[in-house]
Amino acid sequence: MEQENEARGRLIECAKKEFLEKGFAKASLRSISAAAGMTTGAVYFFCKDKNGLFGAVVDEPLQRILQAIAQHFSSDLHADPVAFQHETGDHDDFADMMISLLYADRDALLILLEKSAGSCYVNIIDRFVEMIEQHNLALAQKYAVLFPGKRINQYFLHWFSHVSINAFVHLVTHEDSRERARKEIKPVMDMLIEGWTAHMLEDDV
Amino acid sequence: MEQENEARGRLIECAKKEFLEKGFAKASLRSISAAAGMTTGAVYFFCKDKNGLFGAVVDEPLQRILQAIAQHFSSDLHADPVAFQHETGDHDDFADMMISLLYADRDALLILLEKSAGSCYVNIIDRFVEMIEQHNLALAQKYAVLFPGKRINQYFLHWFSHVSINAFVHLVTHEDSRERARKEIKPVMDMLIEGWTAHMLEDDV
Amino acid sequence: MEQENEARGRLIECAKKEFLEKGFAKASLRSISAAAGMTTGAVYFFCKDKNGLFGAVVDEPLQRILQAIAQHFSSDLHADPVAFQHETGDHDDFADMMISLLYADRDALLILLEKSAGSCYVNIIDRFVEMIEQHNLALAQKYAVLFPGKRINQYFLHWFSHVSINAFVHLVTHEDSRERARKEIKPVMDMLIEGWTAHMLEDDV
Amino acid sequence: MEQENEARGRLIECAKKEFLEKGFAKASLRSISAAAGMTTGAVYFFCKDKNGLFGAVVDEPLQRILQAIAQHFSSDLHADPVAFQHETGDHDDFADMMISLLYADRDALLILLEKSAGSCYVNIIDRFVEMIEQHNLALAQKYAVLFPGKRINQYFLHWFSHVSINAFVHLVTHEDSRERARKEIKPVMDMLIEGWTAHMLEDDV
DNA sequence: TATGAATGAGTCTTCATTCAT
DNA sequence: TATGAATGAAGACTCATTCAT
């Protein structure tokens, strides 16, 4: 977006390639900077350290996704929980948004999701899971009110949140084409919605 | 089983602890061998190398699971695919078996599933997924015969296999108690079965 | 005095702070220039190099002291050596002058005396010691003439010169208040004078 | 003393030489290990890190001195404070002991006293000063009791303690011969004793 | 059976310095 | 007058691995 320095761009592009190939821990600043045609020292002109370089690759797309999710959830909560399973349009919108975001800078996301071991972004997926779990919890609580004698199944809630996130992670990880991704996610989302409806509440003992 | 050496046992126990804490890549043979009260050199008497040590920790429980799954699948295939969703007993058996196996040496499994980055066991989960995917495919093919105008949704099949495996990974990862694990897996399995039935086949175009 | 540049002043002020905190060797031009709101390159516009920057901080007060001592000594030498211990006024004057000079830019002096390791000002104290030692030697020679059968104790002379300088170094280093410094130095000076008289000459063998 | 490994001995000897020449901060493990005919990695087999190597050079003689001082002081405190200035024998013993200790491994002491900047032994002299200051304080308190209307001059006490330590530091630093050291310290000690007697107490206001 | 010693390549990082602009 | 970019050498340190004994 910004008309950045050219060498910096080269550096980050090479870093992206190396992180994608070797992962954060095994990536070598030496080989990254060599590929970018500069010395290791130069890297430290552009970034604070190895983690900073990693951040330069992944942070922007990450923030975009984080914000989009937060925003979506804040608006979504006012919806009618009874109609959870019928709000197809809403779920479709969410899925479309996620796919757009995920594929906008797919390599960066792949790195973030699969190659961040050792960096300060480890377990970033857990942050996504936490966000969606909180949201699901709120939704489920409103839902549970309508069913006396039922209560939220906490374990299922947690697992369900995991699976929901992983649905997108799996998508961006296994499906190269954004168009096909749009199509493939549908039955997955449907199955998730049905599962939510059928199993989120358990009998209160 | 084998009349093992005592020092070797100590070594492997300490390795298990270190791998669990730091993961394969960040684990240090120095600190492992120090904890086991021996020198780094000694490690190479017992194992070929770092990967070998990792294998000494995780391979036995891994093989047990691999065999159990293979065996289960070979017998399962003769079942009636029409009745997939009704074979509750069978699914329960499978889940019980898996839980038994997973919790028998839970630490080793945790390491294998979550801490193997950098070792030659990376992506071991993918091997599980492949196994189950082949099995699901065979099942689905028999099932598809009964529904002309329908065909297997390949992407869904793959994702479904992933989720099936992850159901167990998530369980062993998040649930300390084997008894609770037995209970928590139920709605998860139910949701999986329902999802299979509803979405494994898509309209043939 | 000079119509200095404002940025230069800021730079030197920040350098002073950093040198005081970390000492010459561990001070970083990067962090100094950053604190001064400029780039490292800019430092080299104002100074020749790191040592030059150090000099910009400490050299002026140093020169003032060097000159004052030289001047004091050249006038002092004409005094009557017999009366060394009685020239209280003279010693008081010297002490007062030193204290004024030392506290005029105390931070700079502290840096020079305690934080110059690694710079070309290391062992600057030795230069003070040499000056005072030469002076003490001259004084002692005139004094020795009056005591046949006695000669100057060279080692004592050297140590004594050290201690004399350190009396002031210790003062500026440990005593924040210039007024208290004026008071505290008195018994110290007295002890030095008495020591001089009693031990500077030893029996000639 | 211990029949140590030969390479380790070589390493420590080379380290001693390098520390003596360049000081802790500017000493290079690279050049030390090269001089000792081994790789940098080997250093870490023998020592924890650079500070550990420094410790291997200086810690033993340091501990010997620390203990000797502590022991001397604990016995000395029972002496008659009135007779402080007359206990020539005692002071002589102390001086002799210190000189023996200081010259037993003089290079190590020189390093410790003058070249420790940057290491975890910086300001080790202050520890000596503190020890002797506490002792001097205790002595002075007993002494002060005998002189109503007088009180301890705190600044003088502190400075005096510094000078006392520096008497030995200066000695080992400037005098190569242990025999001459024994002789040179005498007038210094005398001057210290006289100064103590004359100036440690000031008029109570 | 295991050790103690050592290697050597590699890690990230920091630094003073330079120089075209 | 000052910057931004980059250098290059060196820094301490860690590691898996080897091998004679």
Side-chain angles (χ1 to χ4, degrees), chain A residues 41-69:
Chain A
V43 174
Y44 288 83
F45 173 75
F46 296 112
C47 309
K48 197 184 162 294
D49 55 14
K50 200 187 187 185
N51 264 305
L53 180 58
F54 193 80
V57 172
V58 301
D59 206 61
E60 211 179 290
L62 169 62
Q63 294 308 330
R64 268 203 300 270
I65 292 183
L66 250 21
Q67 283 177 21
I69 294 180

Side-chain angles (χ1 to χ4, degrees), chain B residues 83-190:
Chain B
F84 182 90
Q85 69 273 42
H86 300 127
E87 299 172 42
T88 320
D90 188 53
H91 290 117
D92 282 3
D93 288 354
F94 181 67
D96 276 5
M97 180 195 73
M98 287 296 285
I99 289 174
S100 286
L101 254 22
L102 290 171
Y103 281 83
D105 193 348
R106 189 177 169 223
D107 282 349
L109 263 302
L110 255 22
I111 290 169
L112 183 63
L113 296 172
E114 300 192 298
K115 309 287 187 173
S116 62
S119 79
C120 57
Y121 288 83
V122 231
N123 303 333
I124 187 69
I125 291 191
D126 289 350
R127 277 185 54 198
F128 287 106
V129 172
E130 273 167 39
M131 288 181 75
I132 211 172
E133 186 168 3
Q134 280 183 22
H135 180 250
N136 280 335
L137 175 61
L139 232 48
Q141 280 167 337
K142 291 175 76 177
Y143 190 53
V145 171
L146 310 172
F147 295 86
K150 296 258 179 187
R151 65 156 182 235
I152 296 171
N153 181 336
Q154 292 291 343
Y155 179 84
F156 186 86
L157 170 68
H158 189 51
W159 174 75
F160 182 87
S161 304
H162 252 274
V163 172
S164 302
I165 290 299
N166 278 338
F168 291 101
V169 172
H170 189 272
L171 196 65
V172 76
T173 297
H174 291 79
E175 180 56 72
D176 288 345
S177 147
R178 186 192 307 213
E179 287 67 42
R180 276 202 298 275
R182 284 227 159 69
K183 210 188 101 234
E184 310 291 20
I185 198 66
K186 289 237 160 67
V188 170
M189 293 294 282
D190 288 344

Side-chain angles (χ1 to χ4, degrees), chain D:
Chain D
M1 226 163 240
E2 314 92 28
Q3 167 57 24
E4 302 262 8
N5 174 281
E6 180 236 333
R8 186 193 143 92
R10 233 166 47 224
L11 170 63
I12 291 182
E13 216 47 49
C14 293
K16 190 187 281 191
K17 194 176 295 180
E18 174 109 351
F19 285 137
L20 199 52
E21 275 172 19
K22 308 192 187 166
F24 178 84
K26 295 215 158 182
S28 151
L29 292 192
R30 220 133 54 206
S31 95
I32 290 174
S33 51
M38 58 184 73
T39 57
T40 31
V43 174
Y44 289 83
F45 173 76
F46 295 113
C47 310
K48 196 184 162 297
D49 54 16
K50 200 185 186 185
N51 264 304
L53 181 57
F54 194 80
V57 172
V58 302
D59 205 61
E60 211 179 290
L62 168 60
Q63 295 307 330
R64 268 203 300 269
I65 293 184
L66 250 21
Q67 283 177 22
I69 294 180
Q71 195 176 324
H72 177 88
F73 283 173
S74 77
S75 70
D76 188 49
L77 211 53
H78 311 297
D80 179 9
V82 193
F84 182 89
Q85 68 274 39
H86 300 127
E87 296 172 45
T88 319
D90 189 51
H91 291 116
D92 282 2
D93 288 354
F94 181 67
D96 277 3
M97 181 195 73
M98 287 295 285
I99 288 172
S100 286
L101 256 22
L102 290 172
Y103 282 82
D105 192 350
R106 191 178 169 222
D107 281 350
L109 262 302
L110 254 23
I111 290 169
L112 184 62
L113 296 171
E114 300 191 298
K115 309 288 186 174
S116 63
S119 80
C120 57
Y121 288 85
V122 231
N123 303 335
I124 189 70
I125 291 191
D126 290 350
R127 276 187 51 198
F128 287 107
V129 172
E130 274 167 38
M131 287 181 74
I132 210 171
E133 185 167 5
Q134 281 185 20
H135 180 251
N136 280 336
L137 175 61
L139 233 47
Q141 280 167 338
K142 292 175 76 175
Y143 190 53
V145 170
L146 310 171
F147 296 85
K150 297 259 181 187
R151 65 152 182 240
I152 297 171
N153 180 336
Q154 291 292 343
Y155 179 84
F156 186 87
L157 169 68
H158 190 51
W159 174 76
F160 182 88
S161 304
H162 254 274
V163 172
S164 302
I165 290 300
N166 278 337
F168 292 101
V169 172
H170 189 270
L171 197 64
V172 76
T173 297
H174 291 79
E175 179 56 73
D176 288 347
S177 147
R178 186 193 308 214
E179 287 66 41
R180 277 203 297 276
R182 284 228 158 71
K183 212 188 99 234
E184 310 292 21
I185 198 65
K186 289 236 157 69
V188 170
M189 293 293 283
D190 289 344
M191 174 170 158
L192 289 177
I193 296 169
E194 293 153 14
W196 204 102
T197 315
H199 303 286
M200 189 57 84
L201 302 185
E202 62 182 343
D203 287 335
D204 208 344
V205 197

Side-chain angles (χ1 to χ4, degrees), chain C residues 133-203:
Chain C
E133 186 167 3
Q134 280 185 21
H135 180 251
N136 279 336
L137 176 61
L139 231 50
Q141 280 168 337
K142 292 174 76 176
Y143 190 53
V145 171
L146 310 172
F147 295 85
K150 297 256 179 188
R151 64 154 183 238
I152 296 172
N153 180 336
Q154 291 292 343
Y155 179 84
F156 186 87
L157 169 68
H158 189 51
W159 175 75
F160 182 88
S161 304
H162 253 275
V163 173
S164 303
I165 290 300
N166 278 338
F168 291 101
V169 172
H170 189 271
L171 197 64
V172 75
T173 297
H174 291 79
E175 179 56 73
D176 289 344
S177 147
R178 185 193 307 217
E179 287 67 42
R180 276 201 299 275
R182 283 226 159 70
K183 209 188 103 236
E184 308 292 20
I185 198 65
K186 289 237 159 68
V188 170
M189 293 294 282
D190 288 345
M191 174 170 157
L192 289 176
I193 295 168
E194 294 154 15
W196 205 101
T197 314
H199 303 284
M200 188 57 83
L201 302 184
E202 61 182 345
D203 288 337

Side-chain angles (χ1 to χ4, degrees), chain C residues 105-151:
Chain C
D105 192 350
R106 191 176 169 226
D107 281 349
L109 263 302
L110 254 22
I111 289 169
L112 184 62
L113 296 172
E114 299 192 300
K115 309 288 186 172
S116 62
S119 79
C120 58
Y121 288 84
V122 231
N123 304 334
I124 189 69
I125 292 191
D126 289 350
R127 277 185 53 197
F128 287 106
V129 173
E130 274 168 38
M131 287 180 75
I132 211 171
E133 186 167 3
Q134 280 185 21
H135 180 251
N136 279 336
L137 176 61
L139 231 50
Q141 280 168 337
K142 292 174 76 176
Y143 190 53
V145 171
L146 310 172
F147 295 85
K150 297 256 179 188
R151 64 154 183 238

Side-chain angles (χ1 to χ4, degrees), chain C residues 16-49:
Chain C
K16 190 187 281 192
K17 195 176 293 180
E18 175 106 351
F19 285 136
L20 198 52
E21 275 172 18
K22 307 190 187 168
F24 177 84
K26 295 214 158 182
S28 150
L29 292 193
R30 210 156 34 218
S31 98
I32 291 173
S33 50
M38 59 185 74
T39 57
T40 28
V43 174
Y44 288 81
F45 173 75
F46 295 114
C47 309
K48 191 181 165 298
D49 56 14

